[in-house]
Amino acid sequence: MKLTYRYITFFSILLLSACASMSLIWTTTSSSMLTILPTDDNTILVVSNTDADSISITELNLNGEELKTKIYPVTLTVDDYGKYVTYPQQNGSFFQIGSTLSDVLFVDFSNDTYWDVFNPYDIGLQDNQSVFFRGAFRVDEGLFIYGRIITEGSSTSTALAFVIDIEGNITQLLKMDSLIEFYEGFRDTQGHIALQGTSNNEPQVPFQLLRQHVVSLSPSGEMLNQREITNRTRLLGVSLGRSITITNGILEFDGLATTTDIGDKKSDIRGAITDKLGNLYIYGQSIGGFFLQIDTSHWLVKIDSEGEIIFTYDDRENYFYEALTAPIIEENGDIRWRHKGLVHSHSGAALSISEDGGFTFNLGIIVTSKWNTTFTTFNPNGDIKSEFIPPSGFRVIETDDYDYEDVNYVPGECLNTDTLYIEDRLITLRAYCEADMSGTQSLSIFR
């Protein structure tokens, strides 16, 4: 049984008509685009790889018109999800880090400068020591990086954290011999920092995981508090100078349990952020179902600075996994969030149309899947103000007598890698995931 062009076109029309609350004003495709960044002038920087040893940065206005292009002899690296992660600074400049000191770089498009040489002696390393990073987050005109120092020939390591500024200078250097690494970190809008690390002390109970600790720092980098936590406790953030942890679903502020339980169903917490008022936004996904049906839901919980839940959003749809991104909090308190992923939509028998115009009924199975990323805007109380699903692609898998060798693909956009909100524009960088356009990125501007 051969799926015909008419059948494919029918499904495409259904998909493209879904939830179009914004209009496309410009788009382009390329196999070299890596990531996009905003500037203070409300323009878009498109970072692309020109070759293995350099990148180009093209500035676009909000209508997609090219303003200028510059080339820098640096190389960007990807994270565990294959995404190019940058840490934006002022007016289009950005840091990027990999896993070691040699992967730290800074590019300033506005001033046309860059550096990618980092002196290991600035953090007091010996010749037999090396550094591995676990994460980073932006601070005022710099980047806070955390991880560990490994000494050759030693069975342990030292937890390390420091701030690097845009000139490559090191400040707020923190080394803790009592911990073997920092692997989670957060900062609030006032500049307080909370880190979670692992102790090199033996656990109290045999076969238990190593001891965990939470360290709190002042905006100037001074140690405020260090406390041991259980291996069931996870650091979620820092709010108004207080570390926020969660143990068995119960929220804690500086180690003191609240009455707030975000629920056992929130099994996979992907991350959390806080805003300038100390509100906490926790986001993640829940996975369930039985047999061959997989049910996943993407959820967002907002909790105020006193630990009370303001709202819980759960889409409760049959969506497969997508690496969720943190919500964006606007000045007026509105919350913009990108979520959802691959959807199983249809299955059943097929009616095909032969070349001579006749109809043939073939007993087989047709399964369609579509990418359906949603851009939702909530007001501060959790009411949905708007929801936009841009046109996306799907694939049709068609079988004849349960023979899975006959597969038809319809190329389409999926896997939103970057999202920007500038003025009244939504800018997305998305990947084509079907076989015939694999590796192609689509940059689109909606209004």
Side-chain angles (χ1 to χ4, degrees), residues 322 340-342 370-373 391-394 411-418 429-434 437 440-442:
E322 179 187 20
K340 300 183 180 178
L342 181 64
K370 64 182 180 180
W371 292 94
N372 192 11
T373 298
S392 56
F394 70 98
E413 298 174 20
C414 61
L415 292 179
N416 287 263
T417 58
D418 285 295
L429 183 63
R430 297 187 288 171
Y432 280 89
C433 295
E434 303 304 344
M437 297 190 71
T440 301
Q441 298 272 19
S442 172

Side-chain angles (χ1 to χ4, degrees), residues 275 277 279 281 302-303 310-311 329-335 377-385:
D275 62 19
L277 299 177
N279 298 309
Y281 305 81
K302 179 180 179 181
I303 299 171
I310 297 178
F311 73 83
I329 313 302
E330 302 286 356
E331 287 295 325
N332 62 0
D334 283 353
I335 306 146
T377 300
F378 305 90
N379 68 17
N381 293 322
D383 299 322
I384 295 179
K385 297 180 64 174

Side-chain angles (χ1 to χ4, degrees), residues 64-99:
E65 298 169 339
E66 183 175 333
L67 304 178
K68 66 183 72 170
T69 297
K70 300 175 183 179
I71 297 178
Y72 300 90
V74 297
T75 303
L76 301 190
T77 57
V78 298
D79 66 0
D80 294 337
Y81 299 103
K83 184 180 184 301
Y84 291 87
V85 177
T86 55
Y87 299 89
Q89 300 292 303
Q90 293 182 345
N91 205 24
S93 62
F94 66 90
F95 285 95
Q96 201 209 31
I97 68 168
S99 58

Side-chain angles (χ1 to χ4, degrees), residues 113-169:
T113 60
Y114 77 94
W115 54 260
D116 62 348
V117 178
F118 187 85
N119 188 349
Y121 296 103
D122 290 343
I123 55 178
L125 286 188
Q126 305 298 317
D127 292 336
N128 63 339
Q129 292 182 322
S130 56
V131 172
F132 289 90
F133 301 139
R134 291 298 303 269
F137 50 82
R138 178 181 173 177
V139 295
D140 299 332
E141 296 188 6
L143 192 68
F144 190 97
I145 304 175
Y146 53 89
R148 61 175 174 165
I149 299 174
I150 295 178
T151 302
E152 184 179 349
S154 174
S155 60
T156 186
S157 59
T158 299
L160 170 71
F162 61 90
V163 172
I164 184 169
D165 66 19
I166 60 176
E167 303 294 333
N169 301 312

Side-chain angles (χ1 to χ4, degrees), residues 2-219:
K2 184 65 177 175
L3 199 64
T4 66
Y5 179 78
R6 297 183 193 180
Y7 185 82
I8 294 174
T9 302
F10 171 72
F11 274 98
S12 298
I13 292 173
L14 285 180
L15 181 61
L16 293 176
S17 64
C19 297
S21 59
M22 300 185 75
S23 60
L24 176 68
I25 64 174
W26 179 86
T27 188
T28 188
T29 59
S30 170
S31 60
S32 62
M33 291 184 290
L34 305 180
T35 189
I36 53 177
L37 299 164
T39 73
D40 296 344
D41 298 324
N42 288 335
T43 60
I44 309 160
L45 298 185
V46 183
V47 183
S48 304
N49 57 338
T50 54
D51 54 49
D53 300 317
S54 62
I55 61 172
S56 68
I57 302 180
T58 299
E59 184 178 17
L60 306 175
N61 64 21
L62 295 183
N63 293 319
E65 298 169 339
E66 183 175 333
L67 304 178
K68 66 183 72 170
T69 297
K70 300 175 183 179
I71 297 178
Y72 300 90
V74 297
T75 303
L76 301 190
T77 57
V78 298
D79 66 0
D80 294 337
Y81 299 103
K83 184 180 184 301
Y84 291 87
V85 177
T86 55
Y87 299 89
Q89 300 292 303
Q90 293 182 345
N91 205 24
S93 62
F94 66 90
F95 285 95
Q96 201 209 31
I97 68 168
S99 58
T100 66
L101 290 177
S102 62
D103 299 323
V104 180
L105 63 88
F106 176 76
V107 176
D108 188 341
F109 181 83
S110 298
N111 296 312
D112 198 17
T113 60
Y114 77 94
W115 54 260
D116 62 348
V117 178
F118 187 85
N119 188 349
Y121 296 103
D122 290 343
I123 55 178
L125 286 188
Q126 305 298 317
D127 292 336
N128 63 339
Q129 292 182 322
S130 56
V131 172
F132 289 90
F133 301 139
R134 291 298 303 269
F137 50 82
R138 178 181 173 177
V139 295
D140 299 332
E141 296 188 6
L143 192 68
F144 190 97
I145 304 175
Y146 53 89
R148 61 175 174 165
I149 299 174
I150 295 178
T151 302
E152 184 179 349
S154 174
S155 60
T156 186
S157 59
T158 299
L160 170 71
F162 61 90
V163 172
I164 184 169
D165 66 19
I166 60 176
E167 303 294 333
N169 301 312
I170 299 299
T171 60
Q172 299 185 21
L173 178 63
L174 173 65
K175 297 180 183 179
M176 294 189 65
D177 293 328
S178 60
L179 302 181
I180 61 176
E181 72 170 343
F182 293 121
Y183 63 88
E184 190 70 273
F186 297 92
R187 178 180 185 265
D188 64 15
T189 56
Q190 297 175 328
H192 300 94
I193 291 172
L195 298 166
Q196 184 167 355
T198 303
S199 170
N200 58 11
N201 295 327
E202 291 296 328
Q204 295 176 331
V205 180
F207 308 111
Q208 188 181 24
L209 297 176
L210 294 177
R211 295 180 178 178
Q212 305 295 306
H213 291 254
V214 167
V215 175
S216 300
L217 306 176
S218 72

